[in-house]
Amino acid sequence: MMEQLLNGEQNMKAAVFFPGIGYHCDKPLLYYSRKLAQECGYEETIALSYTYDGGNIRGNEEKMQQHSKAFMNRQRKCLSALTLTNYDEILFVAKSVGTIIASAYAEKHSIRCRQILYTPLKYTYNFAHREAIAFIGTSDPWSIVPEVQLFHKTAGAMYTYENANHSLETTDTLENLKILQDVMGKTKGFLKRK
């Protein structure tokens, strides 16, 4: 880092992590992707958090949109203290409802960022994605998988895992570890691309 500063090659990178409703930043997908981001030179990693106690909103479009807006307002306050314009590269990593919040925030504030979308919801695609990679399971009860796959086509690669649920897990623990390793391998490849 010091050598880069001396040579005038400073390239500051920040990664912001947007969790899901019940999937916080210490769960596998966000925990390991944060470690990978750090390995790939993202000096600043910001793990957001929010809580939700309003019961199940799956399948209720009105409640989903209402709570997404409430989460976005809370995250706006958290992110307002962070000056993302100070960074040369910005990465948003999001899970579930966090994919909606990250996408909306990027569009509303004209933030040029790359995005990693773990189990995105269809509302994620109400917003433009400049460069994104996504991961979804065929048994994800929060999504109509073919619909989400179709929406994502213009954003970048989407990887689908057979019989995996909204956490990209199946009923087989060893299979889950294989899925997690594959997801993290593809995540690292995305992080290393320029």
Side-chain angles (χ1 to χ4, degrees), residues 129-187:
H129 296 88
R130 187 171 70 85
E131 185 180 358
I133 186 173
F135 302 85
I136 197 163
T138 60
S139 295
D140 187 337
W142 282 78
S143 294
I144 299 168
V145 177
E147 189 176 82
V148 172
Q149 288 170 321
L150 184 64
F151 288 143
H152 188 81
K153 276 191 176 194
T154 60
M158 175 174 268
Y159 299 97
T160 305
Y161 296 88
E162 286 299 315
N163 303 315
N165 64 18
H166 196 56
S167 295
L168 293 179
E169 294 178 341
T170 68
T171 57
D172 182 331
T173 303
L174 293 179
E175 180 64 21
N176 296 342
L177 292 173
K178 288 178 190 174
I179 291 170
L180 182 61
Q181 184 172 12
D182 187 70
V183 169
M184 290 303 119
K186 288 175 172 59
T187 296

Side-chain angles (χ1 to χ4, degrees), residues 6 9 13 21-22 47 83 90 93 96 98-100 104 106 113 117 136 144 150-151 170 174 183 187-189 191:
L6 292 173
E9 299 174 22
K13 296 161 74 171
I21 289 174
T83 309
I90 300 166
V93 182
S96 185
T99 65
I100 301 168
C113 64
L117 307 169
I136 197 163
I144 299 168
L150 184 64
F151 288 143
T170 68
L174 293 179
V183 169
T187 296
K188 187 171 186 177
L191 289 172

Side-chain angles (χ1 to χ4, degrees), residues 78-90:
C78 293
L79 289 169
S80 65
L82 183 67
T83 309
L84 292 175
T85 55
N86 291 341
Y87 296 94
D88 301 303
E89 289 183 42
I90 300 166

Side-chain angles (χ1 to χ4, degrees), residues 4-24:
Q4 287 178 327
L5 289 172
L6 292 173
N7 294 330
E9 299 174 22
Q10 185 178 5
N11 186 22
M12 299 293 291
K13 296 161 74 171
V16 183
F17 294 80
F18 296 78
I21 289 174
Y23 201 99
H24 52 76

